[in-house]
Amino acid sequence: MTTPADRPPSVDTLARRLAEHSSLPHPMLVDAARTAIADGGRFDEAFELARNLERSLLTPVVNATGVLLHTNLGRAPLAHSQAARAQTVEFDLATGERGSRQRAVGQLFARLCGAEDAIVVNNNASAVLLVLAALAEGQDVAVSRGESVEIGGAFRVPEVMEQSGARLVDVGTTNRTRLSDYERAIERPDTDVALVLKVHPSNYRVEGFVEDTPVAQLATLDVPVVADIGSGLIDATVPWMKGAPPAWLNGEPAAVQTIADGADLITFSGDKLLGGPQAGIIAGRRDLVQRCARHPLARALRCGGLVLAALQDVALSYLHKTVCDDLAFWRMVAQSPDALRARADAIVGAAGVGGVVDTEALPGAGSAPGITMPSIGVAVDGDRLAELRSFDPPIIARTRDGRTTLDLRSVDPADDPHLIDALGQL
Ligand SMILES: *Cc1c(COP(=O)(O)O)cnc(C)c1O
């Protein structure tokens, strides 16, 4: 499909030919055509460039990795739609006057967490930054040496602390920190401790001779306790699921219990175990929440109406206990191994390739590190990852021991026909 070497096609001609195969807008096809012509003018090179450009755009994919909250795939998948209508983002319907952007969603999260008040910001990193800046700027914050951690995506406690203008005071040792260590740090004449920050070391686990100080004990200290619980599990008893809480949630700190234990504030992400959009939630004592809301950084870190509306829907699903119907993450969690096996059998039968295998799915996003949940997959021989990524929508899978596995727990059953189709074409 090359053009004669003596007469390269014009940029425009080539861009028009590309348009027959690509949905990219004309200026991007012109870029691809221009690059290809500078390189000799081959159509197939231009076509490849256009395809790569197209694939560099945000693309919905089928997540068959078995990592339910895949950070590279946007963490919690969430369906949300809303009309192109004005909404009461900062408008009080009762008075007709300007209202608070935080009121609608804040009151729902406060209710959900059993807290006096709540606000939401861009993500949990923002939430921690805002809390530290609003409550401890120019003062000290006591953090256990075992919790001065880095959590994926370059969230590092000492660095967030530095950005906030608060000073970090290390407490205890890497493996053990007791209440008396905090007391000593607060009473030391050279410190001015504004609060204690407890950080859930989400993405790793230390085992052996380890001890941390629970929130219930920290709550006896003379300064406010802020707990960054990370993943946004709302309630450790998981009242929105039938039966006992899943075993893999054991030890994951939850909002309701952390507040009940006496945390003055908690912070967590919207798009991890909560199952919602990217956001950070700050909940707890009203006076402290309001100091955060009034800080100038709150304006820079605020969410827009789209995220607020999605978060409101998520909070309402929890309050209605319809989480396992409404939120894709909890739908994946709630699937029984039997249901997954039936899907796998049907897929292998219809595609005529592959075999049904037992797999282990992961919550992901640094939640419940090292813990897996039983799952079922379809495995085919060889490394077929690139081939699977070339389908529309692309399928993202994993390889192990020379086989490619599509884990069904992270796949919406509505996508099973697509898997059958793709596997059949491999
Ligand atoms: C994930 C996590 C963060 C960062 O949250 P983002 O929403 O990604 O900004 C901070 N702290 C803890 C404990 C976490 O688990």
Side-chain angles (χ1 to χ4, degrees), residues 27-100:
M28 296 187 78
L29 294 178
V30 167
D31 290 346
R34 192 166 283 142
T35 308
I37 284 172
D39 210 33
R42 285 162 54 99
F43 175 77
D44 46 6
E45 185 185 339
F47 181 76
E48 191 60 29
L49 284 169
R51 185 166 157 77
N52 284 341
L53 267 175
E54 208 163 346
R55 283 160 68 92
S56 71
L57 299 180
L58 281 179
T59 306
V61 298
V62 176
N63 173 10
T65 63
V67 181
L68 275 49
L69 303 168
H70 198 301
T71 301
N72 304 145
L73 302 178
R75 292 192 182 156
L78 180 70
H80 177 71
S81 69
Q82 63 188 85
R85 276 227 176 89
Q87 60 177 351
T88 56
V89 173
E90 287 186 8
F91 186 82
D92 185 333
L93 275 181
T95 62
E97 311 269 317
R98 179 173 178 181
S100 153

Side-chain angles (χ1 to χ4, degrees), residues 202-369:
S202 299
N203 49 0
Y204 73 96
R205 188 163 293 224
V206 184
E207 290 187 10
F209 191 59
V210 289
E211 177 180 348
D212 73 332
T213 312
V215 167
Q217 283 186 29
L218 294 176
T220 65
L221 295 167
D222 289 337
V223 297
V225 176
V226 176
D228 173 15
I229 62 171
S231 71
L233 175 63
I234 290 292
D235 186 333
T237 67
V238 198
W240 54 90
M241 263 183 102
K242 287 198 200 82
W248 59 269
L249 276 177
N250 225 331
E252 193 65 28
V256 166
Q257 284 74 20
T258 308
I259 292 284
D261 282 348
D264 297 280
L265 282 184
I266 55 172
T267 70
F268 55 91
S269 296
D271 52 358
K272 295 183 182 173
L273 297 183
L274 183 71
Q278 180 190 301
I281 291 93
I282 302 171
R285 255 171 57 190
R286 175 158 298 131
D287 59 325
L288 301 181
V289 170
Q290 285 308 316
R291 276 169 67 190
C292 294
R294 284 194 305 267
H295 191 276
L297 259 183
R299 171 64 179 81
L301 302 176
R302 75 183 191 186
C303 301
L306 278 172
V307 169
L308 291 173
L311 267 178
Q312 170 167 298
D313 285 352
V314 168
L316 291 171
S317 290
Y318 275 92
L319 291 163
H320 285 304
K321 296 198 173 64
T322 52
V323 167
C324 289
D325 293 325
D326 301 343
L327 302 184
F329 170 71
W330 286 98
R331 276 202 302 272
M332 300 185 221
V333 168
Q335 289 219 38
S336 71
D338 286 347
L340 292 169
R341 189 173 294 280
R343 288 172 55 199
D345 286 337
I347 290 169
V348 168
V353 290
V356 177
V357 291
D358 288 326
T359 57
E360 289 176 16
L362 305 166
S367 310

Side-chain angles (χ1 to χ4, degrees), residues 17-199:
R17 272 187 72 197
L18 288 174
E20 292 162 23
H21 306 273
S22 169
S23 59
L24 281 177
H26 188 67
M28 296 187 78
L29 294 178
V30 167
D31 290 346
R34 192 166 283 142
T35 308
I37 284 172
D39 210 33
R42 285 162 54 99
F43 175 77
D44 46 6
E45 185 185 339
F47 181 76
E48 191 60 29
L49 284 169
R51 185 166 157 77
N52 284 341
L53 267 175
E54 208 163 346
R55 283 160 68 92
S56 71
L57 299 180
L58 281 179
T59 306
V61 298
V62 176
N63 173 10
T65 63
V67 181
L68 275 49
L69 303 168
H70 198 301
T71 301
N72 304 145
L73 302 178
R75 292 192 182 156
L78 180 70
H80 177 71
S81 69
Q82 63 188 85
R85 276 227 176 89
Q87 60 177 351
T88 56
V89 173
E90 287 186 8
F91 186 82
D92 185 333
L93 275 181
T95 62
E97 311 269 317
R98 179 173 178 181
S100 153
R101 170 179 297 257
Q102 297 290 355
R103 180 157 177 232
V105 181
Q107 66 188 352
L108 296 178
F109 275 96
R111 181 71 183 77
L112 266 180
C113 300
E116 288 174 9
D117 206 353
I119 58 172
V120 299
V121 289
N122 180 60
N123 56 11
N124 192 26
S126 309
V128 176
L129 177 68
L130 177 58
V131 167
L132 295 174
L135 306 183
E137 192 169 3
Q139 287 181 278
D140 295 320
V141 173
V143 181
S144 163
R145 283 196 164 86
E147 296 171 6
S148 204
V149 296
E150 169 170 329
I151 290 159
F155 175 89
R156 309 180 90 191
V157 169
E159 288 170 14
V160 176
M161 193 75 70
E162 203 178 310
Q163 288 300 317
S164 74
R167 289 183 303 265
L168 176 69
V169 173
D170 290 315
V171 180
T173 63
T174 306
N175 56 328
R176 306 192 86 180
T177 304
R178 302 184 187 82
L179 185 63
S180 55
D181 296 323
Y182 287 98
E183 284 166 348
R184 261 201 307 282
I186 292 168
E187 283 156 17
R188 251 166 51 194
D190 62 328
T191 61
D192 174 22
V193 175
L195 54 87
V196 165
L197 175 67
K198 184 168 178 64
V199 182

Side-chain angles (χ1 to χ4, degrees), residues 61-66 70 73 385 388-389 393-398 405-407 410-411:
V61 298
V62 176
N63 173 10
T65 63
H70 198 301
L73 302 178
L385 295 183
L388 287 167
R389 285 200 307 275
I395 299 164
I396 316 296
R398 285 199 296 185
T405 307
L406 289 77
D407 193 307
S410 56
V411 176

